[in-house]
Amino acid sequence: MQKDLEINNMIEIQDLKKGYYGVNVVNIPQLSIKKGESIGLVGNNGAGKTTLFRMMLDLIRPDAGEVLSHEKNVASNEEWKEYTASYLDEGFLIDYLTPEEYFHFIGGLHNKNKAQIDTELENFSDFFNSEILDRGKYIRDLSKGNQTKVGVAACLIQNPQLLMLDEPFANIDPSTQIRLKNLIKDLNKEKQITCLISSHDLNHVTEVCDRILLMEKGKIIKDIATNSNTLQELEEYFSVLS
Amino acid sequence: MTLTFLNHQIKAFWRSKNTGKSIAMRIFMAILIIYLLLNVLVVAFFMDTILEKTFPNQDSIQTFNSFIIYYFLLDLLWRFQLQELPTLAVRPYLHLRLKKNQIINYLSITSLGSTFNITPLLLSMPFLIKVLIPTHGFLVFGAYVLSILGLTLTNHFFSMWIKRKVNLNAIWMLVFLGTLLLFVLLDFQFKLFSISALSAQIFGQLLSIPSISLIFLVLAVLIFLMNFRYLKSNLYLEELSKASVSHKSSTEIPYLGRFGLSGDLAANELKLILRNKRPRSVIMTSILFMFYGLIFYNRPDLSDYPILFCGMFMTGIFIINYGQFMFSWQSAHFDGILVSKVSIREFFKAKFLLFTLFSSITFLLTTPYVYFGWRVLLIHFVMLIWNLGVNTVLVLFFANQNYKRIDLSKGSAFNWEGVGASQWILSLPLLITPFIVYFPFSYMDYPDAGIAFIGITGLLFIISREFWLNLLIKQFQNKRFTIAEGFRNK
């Protein structure tokens, strides 16, 4: 019984609350994310998406409640780091390293040697579009879109079971957007990786994700299993607001 | 137009993040700057007495003359290292309806507002007024002021020009410093070739022929025009800011690989230091601190206190100078560290490794001080142990209280970003504790026992490091959210 639960639920959130200056930024009574689900998180600016991500990654202390990853509170142990890969913003990159150095470092954390990483990076040659490797630049000298590519690739070489990306489609060119969508879909379908992706692009999320969470003022107000009407439903919601 | 530019410049200064938002910080800054200028003024005011005391059988004006070239060579070295190039300031103006000449004038004029340009006059004026006017009159005085002004401007525009033209890295600086030291040695130690005599001769001419000063003014104008022409033909930002031009390659630091994950982390931090401007200039100042002992040791009645003090500074300069902003250096990717598989223990161990590495290097650099006696070397070594044992823990303890983000790409001179209460509170125990340990022994006339006790305390801290490490980790676990949030505030 215990084991079944472990297999089924990747993330379990209970009574999670965070407020700044008396305003509730995140307020989620209950949310569970099953293993292998791919979840799209949408909502306008200030809806609490990034704050939610940060609490799930133990970067912000919740005012109340907890985030359980594999049934263990992320704030009180570090096991989740073994199987969780995430990229929220450039703050996750060590910007004075070259991309190669950074990949080797991240790979080393997961006990992969340089040769292994180099072979794995060959799979990304399309995704990188020869703009990342051997360019003789530090990460800080790359454009924002290329930094995103570095961040996403660094996530994937960690072979995660849980992948969290905050607005990965922003700043990258259309070709890479399409490649990234396919990449995420494949990872999710073939390797059963649980994906959690936030985006402002409704087309992208509805295409990639099986389940959409719509946030407004810190609350999840809609929890939709994606179907052919989802895009329309979301568009209606956002156009009413504006 | 220039006035509008200046107006913008003033706004840029007061509204910049570096200036510090709190009024307390501004007041403190003002006091510090006034204090530094007062120091200069005090030295300047007593310059005649100082010169007479150090070179008793020489005319003080001649002594003054003999040091002018040295002063300006040193000034040039400092400028190379610290002077900022206000290149990006013109970015918002380039596409507007403004003549290139106006923009270049703006660049040239705004760059003049630097302490480098005030100091020479401030330093020489009181001396000139006190000594030169009574003996040689106003005309010669005017000639001196003009010459010094001319040389200051020459240095100013020359350093602007060369810094834009050539990417002066640390190696160039060391070569320059080495050549300068060689000249000093040749001059005063071996008496083969004397810059001071040359200097005395050139400026001695001013006393009889004041119009020579015009040469220096002409020189300044020539250098200004050279700089002007260079800027005019190269007014492209990507060419002027040299930073990203050279090819960056991946490097490995093999020695650190032996220490496992914490070695990798230390190697990363070493790259952080070498590849970013602000930590790099911290290292440069640390190297300059290696000469600190020369100020105090060169006297016959040398007691233990200055050796303890200098020993702590010289062997621990990295721990003190770099360590005071610990974690802030990594503020830009602190979130990345927290979510990565790096355990906090390894994170802290890497810091200890880095401290040990740098302190050992600085200790080795101070070994020539054995010239002043074996006791000096011994005390330096004891202070190295103290630094590694006690000060590392102290610095990391305060690092846990430090939530201020810093931008690595800015220079460190007069840069207040990241400075907060914790730095000031940190300096107290750092400076006082070794003396508290030593004083009772010295008071009871057992200085050797005092020094031994400092060493033993340091050693005990090193042996019990695991214990302190656990305390630091516990504290870090409590504070990490606050630290991470502070670092996210740009």
Side-chain angles (χ1 to χ4, degrees), chain A residues 18 20 54 57-62 74-76 78 80-82 84 86 89-102 105-106 108-111 114 134-138 140-141 158, chain B residues 243-244 246-252 261 264-265 268-269 271-273 275-277 329-344 408 477-482 484-485 488 490:
Chain A
K18 179 75 191 177
Y20 290 103
R54 289 214 167 111
L57 291 167
D58 192 34
L59 289 172
I60 292 180
R61 196 198 306 269
V74 290
S76 52
E78 299 188 68
W80 57 273
K81 290 183 181 175
E82 305 280 333
T84 307
S86 53
D89 54 40
E90 314 86 77
F92 280 43
L93 301 173
I94 306 180
D95 65 357
Y96 52 83
L97 297 181
T98 60
E100 289 90 341
E101 283 174 337
Y102 183 64
F105 170 66
I106 294 291
L109 292 178
H110 291 264
N111 305 321
K114 286 183 183 159
D134 301 320
R135 294 306 306 271
K137 280 181 177 175
Y138 295 142
R140 65 167 178 239
D141 301 325
Q158 299 179 46
Chain B
S244 57
S246 65
H247 182 90
K248 309 292 194 298
S249 55
S250 304
T251 39
E252 269 182 76
L261 178 57
D264 285 346
L265 293 174
N268 273 353
E269 195 149 357
K271 286 175 188 167
L272 182 154
I273 294 168
R275 293 175 181 180
N276 290 291
K277 189 170 176 193
W329 298 115
Q330 291 158 304
S331 53
H333 60 271
F334 201 71
D335 279 351
I337 293 171
L338 287 183
V339 302
S340 74
K341 238 185 92 183
V342 175
S343 77
I344 310 300
L408 296 174
Q477 295 286 20
N478 270 324
K479 295 275 188 176
R480 72 202 142 116
F481 297 108
T482 328
E485 192 175 338
R488 260 175 243 136
K490 280 188 187 162

Side-chain angles (χ1 to χ4, degrees), chain B residues 403-475:
Chain B
Y403 319 131
K404 299 224 161 145
R405 184 186 175 98
I406 50 185
D407 180 354
L408 296 174
S409 61
K410 301 266 165 55
S412 71
F414 288 97
N415 188 343
W416 298 95
E417 199 184 26
V419 180
S422 81
Q423 274 79 21
W424 309 113
I425 305 169
L426 164 68
S427 55
L428 267 178
L430 210 62
L431 295 179
I432 293 172
T433 31
F435 296 101
I436 294 178
V437 173
Y438 175 73
F439 179 74
F441 292 96
S442 148
Y443 187 72
M444 291 183 294
D445 228 7
Y446 294 109
D448 291 349
I451 286 165
F453 196 67
I454 292 181
I456 291 168
T457 317
L459 211 57
L460 280 178
F461 267 77
I462 294 180
I463 295 168
S464 59
R465 187 173 276 175
E466 217 39 41
F467 169 75
W468 301 107
L469 195 61
N470 287 334
L471 277 188
L472 286 170
I473 291 171
K474 218 168 159 189
Q475 193 197 14

